[in-house]
Amino acid sequence: MNGHFAAVGDAPTTAQYGHGVQVIDEDKEFKCVRQRPSTPTAASLLTLCATACSSNLSSYLVATDVADAGFNYHIISVFGSQSTGKSTLLNNLFGTDFNVMSETERRQTTKGIWMSKNKTAAMTDNILVMDVEGTDGRERGEDQDFERKSALFALATSEVLIVNIWEHQVGLYQGANMGLLKTVFEVNLQLFLKDKQSNPRSLLFFVIRDHIGNTPLANLRNTLIQDLTKIWSSISKPQGLESSRIEDYFDFAFAALPHKILQPEKFVDEVKSLGKRFVAGSRNSKAQLGHGKQELEGGLFLPEYHRRIPADGFSVYAEGVWDQIVNNKDLDLPTQQELLAQFRCDEISREVLISFDIAIGPLEEQQAEASRIGKPLVLANLGETGKQTREKCVKAFEVQAGRYHKAVYARKRTELEGKIDQRLRALYQGQLTAAHKSGVASFSDAVSGAVKAGQKSGAAYEFAEIVGTQKTKCLDQFKTEVQSLTIPEVAWTNFGSQLALFEKELDEASARLRKEEMRRLATRVERWDLGEVVQGPEEGEKPPTEKDLWDRIWNVFTSIVKEAETRFTDRAKSFEASEAEVEVGLWRLRRKSWVALRERVDEEVMEGNILLKLRENFEDKFRYDEAGVPRIWRPVDDIEGIYTRARESTLTLIPLLSRFRLSATYGPPDLPSFIGHQPAGAEPEDEDDLTPIGGVDEEEGKSLEEEMTVLSEGKRQDLVVRFKKMADGVYVEAKRSAIGGVAQ
Ligand code: GDP
Ligand code: MG
């Protein structure tokens, strides 16, 4: 028998299923392609499921395109005594090729339970026919066990049970057929005791064979009904179902066929017209048989007969049911259906997650890689991809799993959504983090770039305007990303708080940039103006007397700084700096200006420069008379006297130049109050690039006196010595020229 099957592991083909598929073999085993433990130890369906996928049945349903049919399929089983032409009937009705006893051998042919898909075109889609091994066959002797088990299996799965019976058996109440029906009724009660809420009905379809025609079908039908009623009343009913009636569970239909061998043509015709009844029927085509029983006329498939097992779960369900039956467990169909739902929902969920993985996995990898190398990556079209993938996956799950047990489906759907959302959520968070980082960076870059371009071009640029434009641009970009990631019906995709955070950070970046801009401004102001402070007087201006040298420098310095302060304040206000920020800026401006002035002063008194200045001063006094006329030395002149006066007068300049002192107080200017206290708003970073100032920055340990010291004591003495040497040289030269003049 197994010769019909390909070797283990071979892919199923339709060709190998010429005779259909063996579901249960003669050893009461559920047929599997793969070997599985001979004695199933685990009772639950779930443990069976590991092997279920490789069952003959599941491959067969795939090969015959039934697996995808959802609920659009039907299952029919046949019952009856051994060798009553059951297989012959099925083959003729459904175009199947179940094994039939050869005319010559006369031994049992059909073993276990076989299934084949209807091959005739006239009927409804996807009819699956189960040929059940005949009962009371000589091979099985009095063993009623298989009969009972196969009846239970057929009832748990089939919508229509064909009862095949010889005409001459009708009315033989004690006959083998009646024993079979008794079994069917008993197991039916056992089965549906547990399944009160769904209470599925089945159709018992009596096909009377070798109908000679003397007794009309109506009479045969009445006899059968009487017998059925008798059988029903004779069976012991479980507690709670004592008063149940046969019509609570079964509808009836009847047909008679002529003798196949004696009237072969008539047989074929009748079978053909019988076949027309294997289509959808309606409740309205039920006729009263009396005593509440109903006969179904017309189409045989009523929706209420369907067991509501989705086709793609049927083989797993059938295996679970058989496992319970064969191990004499209480067959609890609702539990089986729930277990099936769990198993199938998990399986479908896994399949759906694979397709999710294919779409989303590469994006996750790109993001992980980008974050590993620390480069923020904003994935293109992530929102659209994520939304579509999520929708597609949930929809695919809904279509397939939605047919299973409602509560289980709902729970598994939530689980699936949880898994999908967990991954999408991580991806979306990463996306927003990247968008945030790159957004803030490009904002800063754009502002700095625009400022630099403005400075380069020399044209006036509005800092506040630049900031405003760039902020709107970056914010819009981020908003677009946030919106694209939002799925209205999914709460966690509301990223309002991230948007707020981004805006806040842009504002912080603006503040930072404004501060930088203020510093730049302070530096520019200081560079523009301080050059002129230590320059000599403008032409036409009265030359400063030596005494008010420092007064003049201080006055020019402070007035220039005041002007710079005004300009700074105006400019800072134009880019919306706060009062506190302006105050800090001014404080920095004053400090920087002072330090710059101090540097210029140092430059002026550098050795060469100061010596040159002293020489000029000395020569002015020595070589020119009071009226400013150059002297021509004569021997009578008091060269020595003039020299001494000029030298002494110049020497008095040295202490004067050595210290920054105002003439009024003969003390240093009040630098600390000019610069002022460090404003409260100034932050530590404001001081980083500030040169300490003596007397202002107390903790620096340098006094105001030291700050105002232009020439140190050592330098002064050194200067005196060098100046004197130089003056001596000039004196000697003058002396020589006086004598020489006489000699000429
Ligand atoms: P099964 O064991 O019930 O499946 O019976 P089979 O289909 O294998 O047929 C058993 C024997 O009955 C075969 O030799 C058939 O030729 C024969 N047979 C089939 N149909 C009829 C029929 O309608 N009338 C009679 N008298 N014999 C039939
Ligand atoms: Mg047979």
Side-chain angles (χ1 to χ4, degrees):
M1 299 267 323
N2 286 340
H4 311 303
F5 292 96
V8 171
D10 275 9
T13 61
T14 338
Q16 81 187 66
Y17 295 119
H19 297 272
V21 67
Q22 191 173 27
V23 182
I24 312 290
D25 70 10
E26 60 267 41
D27 301 321
K28 301 177 193 167
E29 289 280 347
F30 197 89
K31 286 296 283 185
C32 279
V33 175
R34 203 186 330 132
Q35 212 62 37
R36 65 190 184 97
S38 51
T39 41
T41 45
S44 98
L45 173 76
L46 288 180
T47 50
L48 271 175
C49 288
T51 54
C53 310
S54 58
S55 74
N56 286 356
L57 180 55
S58 84
S59 315
Y60 182 70
L61 295 179
V62 170
T64 52
D65 296 329
V66 179
D68 294 331
F71 294 127
N72 185 25
Y73 72 99
H74 303 281
I75 297 184
I76 295 173
S77 295
V78 69
F79 280 103
S81 308
Q82 178 64 32
S83 303
T84 47
K86 297 188 298 294
S87 301
T88 306
L89 171 66
L90 297 181
N91 290 345
N92 279 273
L93 254 179
F94 301 108
T96 52
D97 192 15
F98 293 118
N99 281 312
V100 172
M101 176 200 272
S102 85
E103 306 280 337
T104 49
E105 269 179 57
R106 306 219 55 88
R107 54 182 289 273
Q108 186 186 345
T109 49
T110 304
K111 304 238 179 188
I113 299 175
W114 282 71
M115 177 184 273
S116 184
K117 187 179 164 182
N118 165 49
K119 289 170 189 165
T120 65
M123 303 175 189
T124 194
D125 289 342
N126 301 325
I127 297 177
L128 297 167
V129 186
M130 287 207 282
D131 191 9
V132 180
E133 181 185 337
T135 52
D136 71 27
R138 59 214 89 192
E139 273 91 10
R140 285 210 183 267
E142 289 305 303
D143 180 12
Q144 301 283 296
D145 185 54
F146 186 78
E147 173 185 306
R148 206 181 163 79
K149 287 184 162 134
S150 55
L152 203 46
F153 183 70
L155 271 170
T157 53
S158 309
E159 296 154 65
V160 176
L161 299 161
I162 296 178
V163 182
N164 191 57
I165 187 170
W166 298 123
E167 182 183 2
H168 62 71
Q169 286 178 311
V170 175
L172 295 179
Y173 170 59
Q174 298 304 332
N177 278 302
M178 295 303 136
L180 172 66
L181 283 173
K182 194 173 171 188
T183 306
V184 168
F185 293 158
E186 277 170 3
V187 299
N188 185 75
L189 282 176
Q190 177 196 332
L191 204 52
F192 298 111
L193 184 62
K194 290 254 164 69
D195 194 9
K196 293 193 187 82
Q197 77 272 30
S198 60
N199 192 20
R201 299 174 71 79
S202 311
L203 177 69
L204 282 182
F205 186 32
F206 287 89
V207 177
I208 298 159
R209 308 291 294 274
D210 289 2
H211 183 228
I212 299 163
N214 292 346
T215 318
L217 178 60
N219 295 10
L220 294 170
R221 184 179 63 197
N222 289 340
T223 310
L224 279 171
I225 291 288
Q226 278 166 25
D227 285 356
L228 291 172
T229 313
K230 263 192 240 165
I231 296 168
W232 187 263
S233 58
S234 77
I235 59 170
S236 58
K237 296 169 189 75
Q239 226 186 345
L241 295 177
E242 293 90 347
S243 59
S244 64
R245 296 160 308 164
I246 187 169
E247 55 266 28
D248 295 336
Y249 300 98
F250 295 102
D251 286 331
F252 301 95
F254 301 90
L257 288 176
H259 196 296
K260 177 179 181 275
I261 293 146
L262 300 180
Q263 299 172 278
E265 277 143 43
K266 204 164 175 238
F267 177 83
V268 169
D269 285 351
E270 300 268 316
V271 166
K272 211 170 178 182
S273 67
L274 186 58
K276 290 187 184 132
R277 297 194 61 187
F278 287 87
V279 292
S282 75
R283 195 184 286 275
N284 298 338
S285 60
K286 281 183 189 171
Q288 291 298 322
L289 286 170
H291 309 289
K293 291 169 195 63
Q294 293 186 316
E295 177 172 5
L296 183 64
E297 292 164 337
L300 296 175
F301 296 121
L302 296 198
E304 62 209 84
Y305 302 151
H306 206 288
R307 295 294 183 259
R308 310 299 296 171
I309 306 300
D312 58 359
F314 180 74
S315 71
V316 172
Y317 177 73
E319 185 170 3
V321 165
W322 183 254
D323 182 64
Q324 299 287 95
I325 292 174
V326 91
N327 289 299
N328 292 315
K329 298 270 162 49
D330 264 0
L331 185 50
D332 177 351
L333 293 186
T335 304
Q336 287 298 314
Q337 282 164 18
E338 226 176 291
L339 291 171
L340 171 69
Q342 279 174 30
F343 172 73
R344 279 296 295 150
C345 287
D346 283 344
E347 212 170 48
I348 296 163
S349 182
R350 270 198 298 278
E351 280 163 27
V352 161
L353 283 172
I354 287 171
S355 69
F356 179 82
D357 233 9
I358 290 170
I360 299 298
L363 299 177
E364 290 172 327
E365 272 164 37
Q366 281 179 49
Q367 193 181 71
E369 175 62 16
S371 89
R372 201 180 56 74
I373 59 172
K375 221 172 125 200
L377 169 70
V378 181
L379 296 157
N381 291 328
L382 178 63
E384 198 49 37
T385 311
K387 185 155 66 194
Q388 271 175 15
T389 308
R390 187 183 190 279
E391 234 168 60
K392 231 168 72 190
C393 288
V394 173
K395 190 83 208 152
F397 183 78
E398 189 184 301
V399 167
Q400 290 190 73
R403 300 189 186 108
Y404 288 92
H405 191 277
K406 289 292 163 261
V408 174
Y409 159 71
R411 181 157 49 83
K412 295 288 177 183
R413 183 193 158 119
T414 310
E415 266 176 43
L416 175 69
E417 283 176 346
K419 279 180 191 160
I420 287 175
D421 285 353
Q422 191 185 8
R423 287 177 61 180
L424 278 188
R425 202 172 182 154
L427 197 58
Y428 281 18
Q429 291 291 1
Q431 175 87 339
L432 285 180
T433 306
H436 181 110
K437 268 193 200 147
S438 66
V440 172
S442 70
F443 170 74
S444 300
D445 288 353
V447 171
S448 309
V451 165
K452 251 180 222 140
Q455 282 170 352
K456 225 181 200 167
S457 74
Y461 60 90
E462 282 305 322
F463 183 78
E465 208 176 285
I466 293 173
V467 167
T469 313
Q470 294 305 332
K471 187 183 159 183
T472 310
K473 200 171 129 196
C474 291
L475 206 56
D476 280 353
Q477 213 167 352
F478 194 84
K479 252 185 218 159
T480 308
E481 188 60 42
V482 161
Q483 272 159 9
S484 81
L485 293 181
T486 303
I487 307 170
E489 64 277 11
V490 182
W492 64 263
T493 63
N494 180 344
F495 296 110
S497 60
Q498 275 89 338
L499 180 62
L501 194 73
F502 180 70
E503 185 165 9
K504 191 172 153 241
E505 208 148 300
L506 282 191
D507 288 340
E508 279 166 17
S510 310
R512 256 195 319 276
L513 290 163
R514 192 167 56 218
K515 196 174 261 174
E516 271 169 37
E517 176 67 4
M518 302 261 289
R519 283 175 180 225
R520 265 196 300 274
L521 193 58
T523 318
R524 274 208 307 280
V525 169
E526 154 235 306
R527 259 203 241 109
W528 294 334
D529 299 324
L530 283 175
E532 59 191 84
V533 178
V534 288
Q535 299 294 308
E538 303 266 312
E539 224 167 306
E541 216 179 305
K542 178 178 157 282
T545 65
E546 284 122 21
K547 270 196 174 163
D548 64 6
L549 167 75
W550 293 115
D551 293 310
R552 188 188 152 274
I553 289 177
W554 180 252
N555 288 339
V556 174
F557 170 72
T558 50
S559 75
I560 281 176
V561 172
K562 275 279 163 290
E563 263 171 53
E565 282 189 283
T566 312
R567 266 203 306 280
F568 179 87
T569 309
D570 288 351
R571 190 90 180 87
K573 283 207 173 114
S574 84
F575 48 78
E576 290 159 4
S578 69
E579 297 245 326
E581 281 173 324
V582 173
E583 215 181 302
V584 174
L586 292 175
W587 175 72
R588 292 177 58 83
L589 173 68
R590 289 190 296 268
R591 292 184 61 109
K592 292 225 156 206
S593 302
W594 169 257
V595 171
L597 174 68
R598 194 62 189 73
E599 276 165 11
R600 287 307 305 270
V601 168
D602 279 343
E603 246 170 66
E604 293 293 317
V605 299
M606 257 170 23
E607 237 164 283
N609 291 347
I610 187 111
L611 205 58
L612 211 67
K613 281 199 168 78
L614 291 176
R615 185 190 175 129
E616 266 171 29
N617 187 285
F618 168 75
E619 288 191 348
D620 277 353
K621 288 183 170 129
F622 182 61
R623 287 189 203 269
Y624 299 89
D625 63 16
E626 280 75 26
V629 179
R631 289 191 169 104
I632 309 286
W633 298 109
R634 290 156 306 170
V636 289
D637 287 338
D638 177 15
I639 300 177
E640 203 173 322
I642 295 170
Y643 157 73
T644 307
R645 276 197 301 279
R647 192 190 65 185
E648 288 315 307
S649 137
T650 302
L651 276 175
T652 59
L653 280 179
I654 292 180
L656 188 73
L657 286 173
S658 297
R659 282 178 203 287
F660 202 128
R661 279 186 208 285
L662 299 182
S663 58
T665 56
Y666 200 61
D670 190 359
L671 188 62
S673 25
F674 169 74
I675 286 173
H677 284 295
Q678 177 170 345
E683 285 163 36
E685 71 206 50
D686 289 319
E687 298 172 56
D688 285 353
D689 57 342
L690 292 180
T691 317
I693 299 172
V696 175
D697 305 310
E698 318 271 293
E699 65 274 18
E700 297 295 334
K702 195 173 158 200
S703 68
L704 183 61
E705 200 55 48
E706 284 165 304
E707 181 70 27
M708 296 299 165
T709 300
V710 178
L711 289 172
S712 66
E713 191 54 38
K715 277 206 175 140
R716 253 165 72 172
Q717 281 173 17
D718 185 52
L719 195 60
V720 168
V721 172
R722 295 176 58 150
F723 168 70
K724 275 183 174 167
K725 259 189 202 156
M726 187 275 297
D728 286 353
V730 174
Y731 168 73
V732 171
E733 203 186 300
K735 204 72 177 166
R736 268 203 202 117
S737 80
I739 297 163
V742 171
Q744 271 167 3

